[in-house]
Amino acid sequence: MHKQLIMSRKSDYITVGKDTQRKDGVAKVTGFEKFASDLSLPGMLHMRLLKSSFPHAKVLKVHTEDAEKLGAYTLIPDEVPDVKFCPRLVSTPEATYKDWRILSKKSLYVGEPIAAVAADTEEEAQLAIEALKVDYEQLPAYFDAEESRKPGATQLHDAIELKGTIINPERNIACTLDLQEGDVDAAWKECDEVVERTYRTNRRYHVQLETKSVLVKPEIDGGISVWSTTQTIHNTRLLLHEIFGLPMGKIRVYKVPLGSSFGSSIQVNTIVPIAVAMALKTRKPVKLTMTREEDIRDHVSYNMIFKIKLGAKKDGTLVVGHLDAILDLGSHQIQAYSLLGCMAGWWVSLYRLKAKSYKSVGVYTNKTPSCAFRGYGNPQVSWMVETIMDELAEKIGVDPLDFRLKNYIGEGEIFWGQGPTVKSVIRSCGVEEMLKRGAKIVDWYNRPKAGSQTGRYRKGLGMGRGFHTSSAGAPVPGTVVDFSGAIIKLNEDGTIDYITALMDHGGGTLEAHAKIIAEELCLPLDNVNVISADTSTTVYDVCTHASRGIYSGGGAALKVAKQVKEKLRTFAARMLDAEASALSFRVDHDRKQGVIYAEGIKGREVTFKEIAYNARHKNWGTVAAVDSYRQPACPPHFTSYFIEVTVDTWTGKVKLDRVVAGADVGTVINPKLAAGQIHGGFAQGWSMAVMEDMSYNPKTGDLVNSGNLTDYKIPYPRDMPDLEDFEVFFVETIEPTGPFGAKGIGEGALNPVAGTVANAIQNALGIRFYELPLSKERILRAVMEKEGQ
Amino acid sequence: MKITINVNGKQQRFNVEPHTLLLSLIRDEMNLTGSKYGCGIGECGACTVLLDGDAVLACMMLAVDADGHSVDTVEGLSDGDKLHPIQQAYLDEGAVQCGFCTPGFIMSTKALLDKNPNPNEAEIREYLNGNICRCTGYVNIVKAVQSAAVKMRG
Amino acid sequence: MDINKHNTHILHRFEYHAPVTVKEAVKLLKELGSEATILAGGTDVIVKMKDGSLRPRHVVNIKQIPGLSGVKETPEGLWIGTLTKISELENSRVIKEKLSVLYEAVRVIGSVQVRNLATVGGNICNASPAADSAIAFLALDAVAQITGPDGDRKVPFSEFFTGPGRTVLKDGELLTGITVPREVNSWKGHWARVARASMDIATISLAATAKMEGRVVKEIRLAWGTVAPTPMRTENVEDYLRGKKLEQSIIEEAASLAASSIKPRDSGRSTGPYKRKVAKGFIREALTRFAEA
């Protein structure tokens, strides 16, 4: 018997809350779904990149003669637009730091593209790359944020552009952010217990299964068509317009299914502007799919060094905290400045702090540029907080779960959401029920006493909780753009076309939108067609990130569905000779139609198909609406984990015995897919805690794993617990601002996991760790030290 | 080199260079893009196809080594409009998220269930341990395999 | 490594040969010498060809040669053909029953898909110090059968590996099979391994076999992976244990002796101390198991 989806509330909806066969499902299971890497065009050239072999070097000259002799086209820095840009356009200009070029004349990390070739086959392109010769002048390189900030260190960038001004990043400091709230000094005096610790996170690679790909076709009118691995077609178009100056109507970016992303395509990928430049030069379609080893060097998560001090009273009330954060962002900025603000927001939104102070700095190093990775700093912050909360609870002498229950920020309270300029009040919160229920299932209060076990195998039980914002919505505009748009129109057969620019990475967000529309219009779900679209045929959607797909995107779909509903009502009233306001909607599964009827009057009804028929033949027009929507809030969705592990003190191996996961995502729209987000987020969190590490060889500047996936392990099927040992339950609250009460889920699923794992290991061994990953070697070394071996 | 391969039940003739990988033949020559490139070195299983019924990695094989053999890809599983029980099970259990790993998993599942129609959970996880999924955490995938096994046993 | 040569999408062109007899293969390999690479299952060779470290001008595909595959009982012992797929070993009842340590070693190689492609000969001749089957064969007193331009010869596994990635095979020579002597069939076996998760974490494996009389060790072999440049035996520990009754103190002494006898690289990442600690645990595990009825 599987203990799976136990819903707290029953759903009375037609399709919301019901499991359905996803609309893109058949294509995916039959192999017919075409991802960007599957596309090809006649006459297409294969492009390959020349990548820097050095972590910091001037590219004095690229000799292309030998490559050209082989018949290949070449592309060097002098041939591309001489502009600086930021590949991510989610922030407003005052928060968008531009330090990228299409092809670099000074490489700042091993693997940075400095030139490109294109040929008829990949084999020829590869030989052409090997025929290129580069004159480099090597420069000092830094792989550690403390090293690159030292006085006298060589500056990696000389001029960053920020909204028309030039910034000189001295000491390799890319950006800083300091915040304070409340009377911090007075608050420290109130504390009975204080804990101060330093935490170092790991650097993780997304291992999104589809490597970055792009196909560009130059059009006869001087424009381009683009298919790429992107989380935002509109920002892709905007950026290409900014860089190449082509009129926007001539840049067409198509939606293509994405083989997952986890944040690595929020920014336009490095390969896209290069491919556009090559296509414009050669006047032929150009395709590039990154090899895995190129992809591994292309993007990575941020890593941080946190110094945190937290104080509480002996009655278990948390009082005050100070956080010093050093953000190692690698060699180029994608969204570092925004992240500094978000990190503060994640920290202070977990538990109530009467006063808090925060100092943060983003630092350049000669490593792969960091980008968002599911949670955008929240997994790292939550790991730190959930670990130190356990430690502080121990010091005070209160149970860690009770400590959480006493201090978590919940319903009715203000939370910072996506940083200090975005504050809103929490209006739905299932944290207490979630924690208490999970605690009961695992018999929390009877768990082993930390450090009391001996022998080879030691069992531990740990807990952790977290949240993430659903979107970056807010009542007032801030530095993060967040709105979606939708087009909904009625077809002559009574079905609905839903057209949105919003991308689905696979989690099922578009499935949810279809259900929201079907629910609002009272249609069978099959009558809602989710249309594949492009930048010409959609209105703006900022990006699928920040767990905003359902909450914001679905919110826009709902808004427009309501507008279409009113138009349908008006036409129906005309046809039924009735008061529009007295008409109701219902779904007719037999006729497979939406029906509008006059309540209580038999026979006075009309189907959507009949409305469409009249609208066309009587020249009333198409029933359609297009609009945009910004959510006035970014309500937190909450998760909790209770994890049991067994540590083998002879090898340092940690075995996962049991997981009990709880989630409050408001109304659950796609039950099995929502559970799937929890399962997947958990696996990534487990992996973050015990397996993943992208470390650098300071002698070569290259990754220790040399780009080999063999040496960057993530969980395989055998690494996850058995079905009966992985339980997921939802506490269904109703979020008043969410479509049918829904919130997001994607990032909350991951955020608290690493901290929970660390707490479980601490319970098993009586040892706390302050550096990720908790690898076998690290654990074994700590056990040996503790036991005096 | 002239070779003959039985692809998804149909004899096909090709003229390939010896250094052509089987995955390239399938994707580029035959336009069967269901089998994916995920890593190129046999770590991820996204290119899993069946060679004479055995699960293998097309990115690690020369096309010429498939000469005289049968190769089954995900495109050959459904019967017209009718999905194979494994495909239907993956859909029903919510085991498909981004879908990139799905063809590889489905082929590994077919190899498993053809050889062992009643696998227990440990056997399922063991058999699928050459396929990576970064989205699902494998829970719904295991459930899909169990559900498919029941359906296929009739 | 040159990152611009690393391309896992494709292979570069080569001259292709597919001999159909051992004689033909040997002749070809002798002629081509260092310009040729043998292709069996491909799971090691193809990876190297894609990362730019191996660009052979000639590839000799030996999979068309009949008679080099299978598991057979012979007067000398159990014979395993070089082209036997790892999956065939895994599914062989006689291997599972008689050579359990080999069974345990091969079933952890790669994945089902890799085991359906990889051959035992390839696993051995790739000569990684981590080669799972090689470590098991070392603990089973196996003998490698080689055919070359100068005829046939036999080399015990204890002499087969000369360095990381290097074996005693000369130009033109081909490993045709492995024989595991009859005597070890009835011995007890134990396999243990800690797998890699990232470059920081060491792989270490142990294949242990023993002929026991109650709790007394009559014969024992301890073969290790990734603790030296090649698969190695800790013969001093074997000598210590021979004839002794396995009691707690003896097991502990053997464990400590093993830890100090293996030769892992003590690099800056301190994998040495980790491996030594794990090695102790492995020995304890193996000997405790052998001491049981």
Side-chain angles (χ1 to χ4, degrees):
Chain A
M1 197 191 89
H2 306 309
K3 287 177 270 188
Q4 289 295 326
L5 297 160
I6 308 157
M7 312 274 265
S8 283
R9 278 183 237 173
K10 249 189 106 127
S11 176
D12 302 314
Y13 297 120
I14 310 170
T15 57
V16 162
K18 310 249 185 312
D19 280 311
T20 54
Q21 184 163 298
R22 57 187 299 158
K23 289 175 187 289
D24 56 2
V26 173
K28 287 180 175 175
V29 297
T30 54
F32 283 97
E33 186 85 307
K34 294 276 188 193
F35 295 81
S37 44
D38 298 325
L39 299 174
S40 62
L41 285 170
M44 152 180 114
L45 296 174
H46 293 262
M47 193 170 85
R48 289 286 294 160
L49 298 173
L50 179 72
K51 302 167 285 284
S52 172
S53 308
F54 301 106
H56 193 193
K58 285 194 195 146
V59 177
L60 300 171
K61 192 170 163 70
V62 180
H63 301 271
T64 58
E65 309 81 54
D66 291 340
E68 280 159 353
K69 275 194 206 126
L70 294 174
Y73 296 92
T74 62
L75 192 73
I76 58 174
D78 286 331
E79 293 176 282
V80 299
D82 183 21
V83 292
K84 278 206 160 126
F85 59 91
C86 176
R88 168 192 174 268
L89 300 184
V90 173
S91 289
T92 54
E94 55 268 18
T96 301
Y97 292 68
K98 302 183 182 188
D99 68 24
W100 292 75
R101 287 188 184 284
I102 300 173
L103 288 171
S104 198
K105 277 199 191 164
K106 187 167 88 113
S107 77
L108 291 171
Y109 66 99
V110 170
E112 182 158 22
I114 54 183
V117 303
D120 290 327
T121 65
E122 174 142 4
E123 191 185 336
E124 288 168 49
Q126 178 61 33
L127 291 171
I129 283 290
E130 294 179 23
L132 292 174
K133 290 182 199 7
V134 188
D135 298 332
Y136 288 102
E137 183 191 312
Q138 287 188 63
L139 299 165
Y142 309 100
F143 307 101
D144 173 287
E146 276 158 336
E147 283 299 311
S148 73
R149 262 197 316 170
K150 283 208 171 103
T154 303
Q155 209 168 295
L156 301 184
H157 288 276
D158 47 27
I160 309 173
E161 290 173 27
L162 178 68
K163 202 183 179 185
T165 63
I166 304 285
I167 296 178
N168 182 13
E170 285 172 12
R171 292 184 59 201
N172 293 316
I173 291 172
C175 44
T176 63
L177 184 69
D178 294 345
L179 298 164
Q180 187 164 309
E181 197 173 81
D183 187 344
V184 175
D185 294 325
W188 286 115
K189 297 198 177 80
E190 286 179 44
C191 299
D192 298 312
E193 295 289 353
V194 172
V195 178
E196 189 168 358
R197 291 289 183 197
T198 300
Y199 292 83
R200 302 182 124 78
T201 74
N202 44 5
R203 211 157 217 262
R204 293 162 293 129
Y205 164 60
H206 305 63
V207 198
Q208 83 290 345
L209 217 44
E210 182 184 20
T211 56
K212 299 309 173 190
S213 298
V214 62
L215 172 62
V216 180
K217 175 172 182 257
E219 301 291 355
I220 199 67
D221 63 0
I224 49 174
S225 293
V226 179
W227 297 262
S228 76
T229 44
T230 181
Q231 291 173 232
T232 165
I233 54 174
H234 278 280
N235 284 359
T236 304
R237 182 170 78 152
L238 270 167
L239 183 74
L240 294 177
H241 165 71
E242 184 188 312
I243 294 174
F244 292 94
L246 297 168
M248 290 188 62
K250 290 191 177 171
I251 303 173
R252 221 163 159 168
V253 181
Y254 288 84
K255 276 179 90 169
V256 189
L258 186 56
S260 78
S261 191
F262 310 114
S264 56
S265 282
I266 291 173
Q267 68 275 16
V268 173
N269 299 132
T270 47
I271 57 177
V272 176
I274 301 173
V276 170
M278 184 67 88
L280 291 174
K281 177 178 178 180
T282 60
R283 304 298 319 160
K284 289 181 173 204
V286 169
K287 180 170 179 193
L288 181 134
T289 295
M290 280 189 136
T291 58
R292 181 58 69 180
E293 57 274 13
E294 287 175 321
D295 200 273
I296 288 179
R297 293 183 176 95
D298 178 71
H299 49 269
V300 74
S301 78
Y302 293 87
N303 68 297
M304 299 87 157
I305 302 170
F306 293 126
K307 288 194 178 66
I308 182 170
K309 192 169 154 188
L310 216 55
K313 294 209 254 254
K314 55 175 174 279
D315 70 352
T317 311
L318 202 54
V319 181
V320 56
H322 174 77
L323 176 60
D324 254 297
I326 301 174
L327 179 68
D328 180 343
L329 59 100
S331 49
H332 289 277
Q333 291 195 55
I334 292 176
Q335 70 260 95
Y337 178 69
S338 307
L339 180 53
L340 294 181
C342 282
M343 277 155 48
W346 310 141
W347 171 46
V348 306
S349 299
L350 277 162
Y351 301 100
R352 232 171 277 122
L353 292 168
K354 199 161 98 175
K356 46 255 191 194
S357 52
Y358 174 77
K359 281 171 115 66
S360 67
V361 62
V363 183
Y364 284 114
T365 53
N366 290 105
K367 299 189 283 195
T368 298
S370 290
C371 70
F373 184 165
R374 193 172 187 173
Y376 191 39
N378 207 340
Q380 296 93 320
V381 167
S382 297
W383 165 64
M384 162 191 68
V385 173
E386 288 304 290
T387 309
I388 201 171
M389 285 292 280
D390 253 33
E391 189 163 0
L392 187 51
E394 189 179 44
K395 216 170 173 195
I396 297 169
V398 67
D399 181 276
L401 177 62
D402 295 337
F403 193 40
R404 303 314 201 276
L405 284 167
K406 195 177 169 71
N407 294 289
Y408 79 91
I409 294 177
E411 192 155 349
E413 299 186 67
I414 292 180
F415 100 119
W416 280 25
Q418 294 244 342
T421 59
V422 182
K423 291 190 185 176
S424 52
V425 174
I426 298 176
R427 299 170 65 182
S428 65
C429 177
V431 171
E432 180 155 343
E433 185 182 336
M434 201 191 305
L435 288 177
K436 287 188 168 159
R437 193 156 149 190
K440 191 158 175 218
I441 294 171
V442 301
D443 199 17
W444 170 256
Y445 294 101
N446 288 322
R447 72 192 181 287
K449 185 171 182 302
S452 63
Q453 295 172 72
T454 54
R456 177 176 177 180
Y457 295 102
R458 302 181 196 175
K459 282 179 143 1
L461 171 62
M463 61 87 42
R465 59 161 288 268
F467 77 100
H468 204 81
T469 53
S470 309
S471 87
V476 298
T479 54
V480 175
V481 174
D482 190 308
F483 68 95
S484 287
I487 300 171
I488 295 179
K489 61 186 178 73
L490 178 68
N491 296 321
E492 287 75 354
D493 62 355
T495 66
I496 289 285
D497 281 350
Y498 168 55
I499 306 163
T500 177
L502 193 138
M503 292 292 299
D504 187 334
H505 314 175
T509 191
L510 292 181
E511 200 59 25
H513 296 190
K515 284 180 174 159
I516 288 166
I517 294 168
E519 196 67 50
E520 183 61 26
L521 296 178
C522 296
L523 280 176
L525 185 59
D526 281 346
N527 286 27
V528 178
N529 310 308
V530 178
I531 304 299
S532 192
D534 61 78
T535 46
S536 304
T537 53
T538 56
V539 292
Y540 188 81
D541 169 78
V542 63
C543 184
T544 305
H545 72 141
S547 304
R548 66 183 292 278
I550 288 180
Y551 182 70
S552 285
L558 181 60
K559 179 180 182 186
V560 176
K562 287 185 165 154
Q563 293 173 2
V564 167
K565 194 171 188 178
E566 290 320 297
K567 293 191 181 177
L568 286 165
R569 188 194 294 277
T570 305
F571 282 11
R574 213 192 273 188
M575 289 167 72
L576 295 174
D577 193 23
E579 293 300 322
S581 57
L583 293 174
S584 303
F585 286 68
R586 66 176 170 83
V587 61
D588 187 327
H589 288 293
D590 298 321
R591 283 188 283 178
K592 295 193 169 68
Q593 282 290 318
V595 171
I596 303 177
Y597 64 101
E599 193 122 24
I601 302 171
K602 215 169 163 198
R604 201 70 84 98
E605 64 175 39
V606 71
T607 66
F608 283 24
K609 186 173 177 181
E610 288 163 345
I611 294 176
Y613 181 95
N614 268 283
R616 182 165 99 88
H617 292 289
K618 298 199 173 158
N619 308 296
W620 295 347
T622 304
V623 177
V626 50
D627 211 342
S628 299
Y629 182 59
R630 167 163 173 79
Q631 282 285 15
C634 56
H637 54 277
F638 298 99
T639 50
S640 66
Y641 284 93
F642 289 84
I643 297 175
E644 275 178 17
V645 299
T646 301
V647 183
D648 178 355
T649 58
W650 286 11
T651 62
K653 265 190 191 166
V654 185
K655 184 171 154 292
L656 247 185
D657 292 329
R658 185 184 190 189
V659 179
V660 174
D664 160 25
V665 302
T667 302
V668 178
I669 298 185
N670 299 322
K672 282 188 177 166
L673 293 177
Q677 286 295 298
I678 299 290
H679 303 147
F682 172 77
Q684 286 183 2
W686 168 253
S687 189
M688 168 181 170
V690 302
M691 286 185 204
E692 297 185 46
D693 192 23
M694 291 280 276
S695 43
Y696 281 77
N697 179 339
K699 286 204 209 94
T700 62
D702 196 9
L703 290 165
V704 167
N705 62 36
S706 300
N708 284 314
L709 201 60
T710 320
D711 296 317
Y712 190 79
K713 284 277 190 265
I714 62 170
Y716 285 75
R718 234 178 25 205
D719 299 318
M720 290 288 103
D722 283 348
L723 295 178
E724 64 176 8
D725 296 323
F726 196 151
E727 189 176 335
V728 176
F729 64 87
F730 288 91
V731 171
E732 272 190 291
T733 60
I734 298 177
E735 169 53 42
T737 61
F740 294 101
K743 296 188 277 194
I745 187 175
E747 289 162 289
L750 163 60
N751 294 342
V753 178
T756 311
V757 172
N759 292 339
I761 292 175
Q762 191 273 339
N763 183 245
L765 299 177
I767 302 172
R768 284 193 205 280
F769 294 87
Y770 302 96
E771 190 168 352
L772 289 176
L774 309 185
S775 61
K776 294 192 276 283
E777 189 166 285
R778 194 164 264 146
I779 288 177
L780 194 59
R781 210 180 315 138
V783 170
M784 283 164 72
E785 267 170 35
K786 182 169 186 234
E787 300 185 352
Q789 289 161 28
Chain B
M1 278 182 64
K2 290 196 171 48
I3 60 174
T4 305
I5 307 176
N6 184 308
V7 183
N8 295 329
K10 189 166 164 225
Q11 287 287 99
Q12 308 251 28
R13 277 192 278 272
F14 306 98
N15 196 357
V16 295
E17 309 253 34
H19 66 289
T20 305
L21 295 163
L22 181 61
L23 185 64
S24 307
L25 182 73
I26 291 171
R27 285 176 57 81
D28 303 332
E29 186 77 30
M30 303 188 66
N31 199 24
L32 296 173
T33 56
S35 310
K36 306 294 185 202
Y37 166 87
C39 69
I41 54 173
E43 286 289 318
C44 74
C47 65
T48 303
V49 298
L50 304 188
L51 183 73
D52 299 334
D54 290 328
V56 294
L57 303 163
C59 77
M60 300 282 275
M61 278 184 65
L62 301 183
V64 296
D65 271 332
D67 184 21
H69 294 272
S70 73
V71 170
D72 290 301
T73 72
V74 71
E75 289 90 345
L77 276 190
S78 44
D79 180 13
D81 268 347
K82 196 155 173 288
L83 293 179
H84 189 281
I86 294 173
Q87 292 169 315
Q88 190 62 56
Y90 269 73
L91 285 178
D92 293 341
E93 294 301 325
V96 179
Q97 287 192 31
C98 81
F100 203 79
C101 74
T102 303
F105 264 100
I106 286 177
M107 297 318 285
S108 292
T109 303
K110 176 141 202 312
L112 166 65
L113 296 181
D114 283 348
K115 292 185 207 298
N116 180 357
N118 194 5
N120 62 31
E121 186 174 346
E123 286 168 336
I124 292 173
R125 288 180 185 273
E126 182 68 48
Y127 209 89
L128 298 182
N129 213 51
N131 289 76
I132 290 179
C133 174
R134 194 56 154 160
C135 295
T136 67
Y138 308 111
V139 175
N140 289 350
I141 289 177
V142 171
K143 290 171 87 184
V145 177
Q146 291 176 330
S147 159
V150 167
K151 280 205 197 88
M152 285 165 72
R153 289 202 297 273
Chain C
M1 96 128 62
D2 184 343
I3 65 172
N4 287 304
K5 283 211 160 91
H6 196 169
N7 183 345
T8 55
H9 279 151
I10 57 169
L11 295 177
H12 288 264
R13 52 188 65 232
F14 45 75
E15 293 280 331
Y16 177 74
H17 313 267
V20 293
T21 65
V22 172
K23 203 164 163 196
E24 197 185 330
V26 164
K27 182 162 180 285
L28 208 49
L29 289 170
K30 177 80 177 150
E31 265 168 31
L32 300 171
S34 59
E35 294 213 316
T37 291
I38 298 173
L39 177 67
T43 52
D44 291 317
V45 163
I46 296 220
V47 175
K48 289 197 177 126
M49 285 169 73
K50 286 180 173 187
D51 75 13
S53 61
L54 190 63
R55 290 262 179 107
R57 281 200 58 202
H58 298 267
V59 167
V60 179
N61 185 347
I62 58 171
K63 294 195 289 295
Q64 312 285 2
I65 304 173
L68 291 183
S69 168
V71 177
K72 290 199 206 37
E73 308 250 22
T74 71
E76 285 88 50
L78 209 58
W79 175 85
I80 298 164
T82 190
L83 286 180
T84 311
K85 294 218 184 85
I86 299 289
S87 56
E88 193 180 329
L89 286 185
E90 189 191 357
N91 295 321
S92 156
R93 192 198 273 164
V94 68
I95 299 276
K96 188 169 182 184
E97 284 171 3
K98 297 204 169 151
L99 304 180
S100 66
V101 72
L102 178 64
Y103 168 75
E104 294 295 332
V106 298
R107 66 197 287 254
V108 299
I109 293 176
S111 60
V112 163
Q113 294 96 315
V114 166
R115 298 196 286 279
N116 281 334
L117 288 169
T119 62
V120 68
N123 191 235
I124 293 165
C125 295
N126 187 46
S128 157
D132 303 280
S133 68
I135 296 156
F137 282 127
L138 194 54
L140 290 168
D141 280 356
V143 174
Q145 268 130 12
I146 299 168
T147 298
D150 302 327
D152 299 338
R153 62 188 181 114
K154 294 193 169 95
V155 175
F157 261 71
S158 50
E159 294 163 30
F160 189 78
F161 302 101
T162 58
R166 295 198 306 275
T167 68
V168 295
L169 291 172
K170 297 196 279 266
D171 273 349
E173 286 191 316
L174 194 63
L175 175 76
T176 55
I178 305 105
T179 301
V180 176
R182 203 164 266 284
E183 296 80 66
V184 297
N185 285 9
S186 55
W187 293 16
K188 290 189 172 184
H190 180 81
W191 169 263
R193 183 209 211 216
V194 170
R196 266 194 301 197
S198 77
M199 284 309 265
D200 256 23
I201 310 296
T203 301
I204 171 173
S205 38
L206 167 69
T209 54
K211 184 173 177 186
M212 304 293 297
E213 208 172 76
R215 293 178 71 111
V216 175
V217 177
K218 303 300 283 178
E219 265 309 333
I220 186 159
R221 306 280 182 269
L222 302 168
W224 300 88
T226 335
V227 297
T230 67
M232 70 170 268
R233 273 169 53 188
T234 42
E235 295 187 38
N236 59 333
V237 186
E238 295 169 5
D239 292 339
Y240 169 76
L241 286 167
R242 201 170 284 112
K244 291 210 172 51
K245 186 169 179 202
L246 288 181
E247 281 158 354
Q248 200 54 34
S249 55
I250 303 292
I251 291 176
E252 277 309 310
E253 182 62 37
S256 297
L257 194 56
S260 55
S261 306
I262 56 175
K263 305 178 193 125
R265 271 180 311 171
D266 279 314
S267 71
R269 295 192 180 280
S270 68
T271 53
Y274 175 80
K275 292 195 197 205
R276 291 182 201 281
K277 164 79 173 164
V278 175
K280 260 193 188 169
F282 281 1
I283 290 290
R284 273 195 215 112
E285 224 176 35
L287 297 181
T288 306
R289 193 166 154 204
F290 289 162
E292 285 161 12

